[in-house]
């Protein structure tokens, strides 16, 4: 299924701004939903260079766009260009979704952490966040989104393990300042740390195609613990494979990508879209370059 909707003169418009943008899966993803729900709308790739971002983003209300997603390298640099920033985007310091409000203002939101939690809930509906601490591998932008979302969901303690300890210390400070119980752990965490976890999440790029693997032993991780990876190329990372062999429930990174997109789609096109197996297959076909 592709974006072949016949458009009327009042079609709702949105897109994704990035530089480069050609690799983005978002047009494929939103195009699937526009077709699925029979919406008179279009979602297009917008190749916008860093120097053109300020001018281009301010044009959106003037040319009838309802908003855009932002991808590299615009997620942080866009902040001073917007009229309003949602509390979650302000806390994370990055915007992935811009909504043009009824009065033509630009509101920045961040749906990454929410998307991660929704993906986790869809894959493990009986997950009770309050039951056990989570171990987070990594302390970059993705870790920040995931950590705040887990803390907000009620996870009692976060253990942040990162190769560069100053970064995990900084993230832990930000979390504790916001009232979220967090501490740093060693890189890599061993059985004593893993034994405490109800959830282990990789937010680093390790395991991604073309990047070294994440070489972690899962010894000590309780059988009930879930293992999640935000990497989705490949869909089954070595980490998830090892976890499955040990009998853990696993959550792959594609779920976060698909669920984070729901927030923008709902705001721009007025429907909360569903993340279904046929959507996953459609987006995966795009990854394989069909
Ligand atoms: P993002 O915004 O996608 O999270 P990032 O801010 O560059 O990207 O963070 C990348 C994460 O992957 C970091 O936690 C990084 O660890 P460092 O803070 O020590 O750099 C982690 N990472 C990347 N390559 C790594 C490697 N070879 N070994 C261990 N961690 C790695």
């Amino acid at each position: 299924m592709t974006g072949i909707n016949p458009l009327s003169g009042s079609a709702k418009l949105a897109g994704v701004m990035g530089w480069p943008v050609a690799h983005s899966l978002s047009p494929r993803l939103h195009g699937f939903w526009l077709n699925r729900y029979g919406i008179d709308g279009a979602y297009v790739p917008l190749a916008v260079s860093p120097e053109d971002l300020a001018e281009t983003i301010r044009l959106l209300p003037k040319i009838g766009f309802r908003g855009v997603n932002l991808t590299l390298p615009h997620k942080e640099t866009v902040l001073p260009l917007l009229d309003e920033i949602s509390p979650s985007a302000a806390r994370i310091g990055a915007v992935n979704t811009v909504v043009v409000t009824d009065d033509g203002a630009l509101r920045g939101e961040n749906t990454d952490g929410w998307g991660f939690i929704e993906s986790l809930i869809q894959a493990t509906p009986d997950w009770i966040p309050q039951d056990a601490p989570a171990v987070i591998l990594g302390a970059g932008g993705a870790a920040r989104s995931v950590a705040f979302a887990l803390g907000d969901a009620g996870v009692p303690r976060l253990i942040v393990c990162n190769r560069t300890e100053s970064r995990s210390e900084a993230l832990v400070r930000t979390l504790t300042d916001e009232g979220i119980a967090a501490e740093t752990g060693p890189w890599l965490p061993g059985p004593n740390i893993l034994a405490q976890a109800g959830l282990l999440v990789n937010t680093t790029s390790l395991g991604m195609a073309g990047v070294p693997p994440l070489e972690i032993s899962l010894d000590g991780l309780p059988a009930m613990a879930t293992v999640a990876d935000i990497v989705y190329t490949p869909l089954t990372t070595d980490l998830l494979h090892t976890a499955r062999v040990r009998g853990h429930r696993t959550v792959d990174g594609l779920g976060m990508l698909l669920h984070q997109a729901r927030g923008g789609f709902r705001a721009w096109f007025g429907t909360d879209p569903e993340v279904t197996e046929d959507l996953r297959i459609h987006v995966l076909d795009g990854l394989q370059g069909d």
Side-chain angles (χ1 to χ4, degrees), residues 114-274:
W114 178 82
F116 175 74
I117 297 290
E118 288 289 301
S119 162
L120 200 55
I121 291 171
Q122 188 176 40
T124 59
D126 56 349
W127 174 57
I128 300 172
Q130 290 78 8
D131 269 0
V135 172
I136 298 173
L137 305 177
R144 204 173 160 91
S145 296
V146 165
F148 272 114
L150 288 173
D152 289 346
V155 173
R157 190 158 46 92
L158 305 176
I159 305 170
V160 181
C161 306
N162 194 50
R163 174 182 61 176
T164 308
E165 215 180 334
S166 57
R167 288 186 92 192
S168 43
E169 283 166 356
L171 177 54
V172 162
R173 257 195 313 277
T174 318
L175 291 163
T176 46
D177 284 351
E178 297 270 341
I180 293 171
E183 63 197 62
T184 58
W187 181 260
L188 289 157
N192 294 346
I193 300 284
L194 295 181
Q196 305 171 44
L199 174 67
L200 172 69
V201 193
N202 174 44
T203 73
T204 74
S205 45
L206 294 175
M208 195 185 288
V211 176
L214 172 60
E215 285 173 340
I216 184 173
S217 160
L218 299 184
D219 288 352
L221 191 67
M224 291 303 292
T226 296
V227 177
D229 205 326
I230 69 157
V231 171
Y232 56 86
T233 50
L235 200 52
T236 303
T237 57
D238 285 351
L239 172 67
L240 296 187
H241 176 72
T242 307
R244 278 179 203 158
V245 169
R246 281 178 54 97
H248 296 284
R249 289 189 301 177
T250 60
V251 184
D252 65 51
L254 186 60
M256 178 177 178
L257 176 79
L258 302 181
H259 281 278
Q260 64 75 30
R262 285 171 47 205
F265 192 90
R266 188 176 47 216
W268 308 318
F269 301 117
T271 298
D272 185 6
E274 236 188 313

Side-chain angles (χ1 to χ4, degrees), residues 40-83:
D40 182 19
Y43 182 103
V44 293
L46 299 164
V48 175
S49 70
E51 48 280 18
D52 287 338
L53 180 66
E55 192 183 344
T56 317
I57 197 111
R58 300 298 326 176
L59 274 180
L60 291 175
K62 299 186 188 179
I63 57 171
F65 267 64
R66 298 187 163 225
V68 286
N69 284 125
L70 294 170
T71 185
L72 289 174
H74 302 319
K75 288 170 99 167
E76 290 162 15
T77 50
V78 79
L79 278 157
L81 307 173
L82 301 175
D83 302 304

